[in-house]
Amino acid sequence: MSNNSDNRLKKKDYESELVNLQVELVKLQEWIKHSGMKVVVIFEGRDAAGKGGVIKRITEKLNPRVCRVVALPQPTEKEKTQWYFQRYVSHLPAAGEMILLDRSWYNRAGVEKVMGFCSDEEYNEFLRSCPEFERMLKRSGIILVKYWFSVSDDEQEKRFLERINTPMKRWKFSPMDLESRNRWAEYSAAKDAMFAYTDTKQCPWWVVDADNKKKARINCISHLLTQIPYKEIDYPTISLPKVNKEGYVRSPIDNQTFIPDLFSQK
């Protein structure tokens, strides 16, 4: 799933294609709900690689009761004593649901390994057990799709500087982002090791070249639609009835206060 960042995608073409894909995502959502599918999509990758942007475009037109985003905070002291996968299992989908994991159990193979937040024993156990855990999910009827967003160090630096210098994006920058720059080689080695153990035939990794945000979004959503079999639902014809106001009497104390219309004041 690569793209050429030098071959820019025109805004008009991008927006047109995105609308077409979002129409298909709605069809997918309705089929998941209709057929009782259970879908999990994992989004991993470098900091500032654009995972959040893709997730936002996927969910933008969807029903949050069907398609939910799960982005877990740091584990609590209690969760640290549980079976590692336990906190994620509680967020797995029921029939008719699609879950988008913004970061996932692969934290253990990435940030926890690099930053020393887990022991070598815990890390090695994760690499051994993760493929079997994912095979269990597949055998239970869950469709699992895994994406890794790859971004060059030059592009990451550009995006970090934009976050630092843009008030509306400043909240996205964290001290961990600085560490990701300091430990670039360690994160790369951790990613390679993770792929060696968990890029399996049953649950492969799909790599998204994310240096060009617009192309990455289009490529990822297009690919996702090919990974989940779906059909368009035929809706029945609906005739909208007129409003029946018979018997309604407005209360004399039913005063409504409207917010100011700023446009009428200009």
Side-chain angles (χ1 to χ4, degrees):
M1 297 182 61
S2 63
N3 59 61
N4 184 352
S5 59
D6 294 330
N7 185 13
R8 294 186 179 277
L9 183 63
K10 293 181 180 179
K11 182 179 180 180
K12 181 178 68 173
D13 295 335
Y14 162 73
E15 292 178 346
S16 175
E17 183 61 24
L18 181 60
V19 168
N20 293 335
L21 292 174
Q22 288 178 330
V23 170
E24 291 302 313
L25 285 170
V26 171
K27 295 178 184 178
L28 170 63
Q29 167 194 266
E30 294 302 281
W31 183 255
I32 288 174
K33 183 171 63 175
H34 170 79
S35 62
M37 279 184 175
K38 295 177 286 185
V39 179
V40 174
V41 187
I42 288 176
F43 295 87
E44 292 284 352
R46 294 282 191 179
D47 293 317
K51 301 179 294 298
V54 173
I55 292 172
K56 180 179 179 181
R57 271 69 185 182
I58 292 174
T59 60
E60 197 169 21
K61 306 299 181 182
L62 301 185
N63 184 345
R65 292 188 178 90
V66 178
C67 180
R68 293 188 288 109
V69 179
V70 176
L72 298 184
Q74 293 181 0
T76 64
E77 291 304 313
K78 179 180 179 180
E79 287 172 333
K80 290 177 181 179
T81 68
Q82 295 174 341
W83 175 50
Y84 178 70
F85 295 100
Q86 188 169 338
R87 68 196 296 249
Y88 296 100
V89 169
S90 63
H91 294 279
L92 292 176
E97 293 181 342
M98 177 165 69
I99 307 303
L100 309 182
L101 283 173
D102 186 356
R103 301 287 190 190
S104 66
W105 44 82
Y106 283 102
N107 279 336
R108 174 136 296 177
V111 64
E112 290 191 18
K113 164 63 176 174
V114 173
M115 299 302 297
F117 295 157
C118 67
S119 67
D120 289 342
E121 182 180 358
E122 290 171 328
Y123 169 72
N124 291 327
E125 176 56 31
F126 171 83
L127 294 180
R128 286 192 295 266
S129 60
C130 183
E132 182 55 33
F133 173 68
E134 293 181 349
R135 283 190 285 267
M136 289 170 61
L137 298 183
K138 298 276 285 188
R139 289 196 298 269
S140 75
I142 291 176
I143 296 175
L144 177 62
V145 186
K146 305 187 301 189
Y147 290 112
W148 175 270
F149 283 70
S150 177
V151 65
S152 66
D153 54 346
D154 288 340
E155 181 62 25
Q156 186 189 57
E157 180 178 2
K158 175 183 173 182
R159 294 178 187 179
F160 279 165
L161 289 173
E162 184 180 13
R163 289 181 178 184
I164 292 171
N165 298 317
T166 305
M168 287 189 294
K169 296 183 178 182
R170 184 63 179 83
W171 63 270
K172 293 183 177 182
F173 196 82
S174 71
M176 293 299 292
D177 292 331
L178 294 177
E179 285 300 321
S180 71
R181 297 287 293 175
N182 292 332
R183 303 178 185 235
W184 178 272
E186 295 174 69
Y187 271 104
S188 296
K191 177 258 186 179
D192 291 343
M194 181 185 78
F195 268 46
Y197 278 88
T198 63
D199 184 23
T200 63
K201 181 179 179 180
Q202 296 86 356
C203 303
W205 279 103
W206 297 98
V207 178
V208 182
D209 181 349
D211 270 10
N212 184 307
K213 288 183 178 181
K214 290 185 174 65
K215 285 191 174 185
R217 293 165 187 168
I218 297 300
N219 287 341
C220 183
I221 297 173
S222 299
H223 183 266
L224 177 61
L225 289 167
T226 69
Q227 297 302 296
I228 308 170
Y230 68 98
K231 300 177 182 178
E232 185 173 359
I233 301 294
D234 292 326
Y235 293 101
T237 301
I238 298 175
S239 297
L240 192 64
K242 293 183 178 180
V243 176
N244 182 2
K245 297 183 179 180
E246 185 178 350
Y248 172 73
V249 178
R250 184 181 180 88
S251 170
I253 61 172
D254 185 17
N255 296 320
Q256 302 178 75
T257 303
F258 290 89
I259 66 172
D261 183 352
L262 301 179
F263 294 96
S264 67
Q265 300 173 12
K266 292 183 179 179

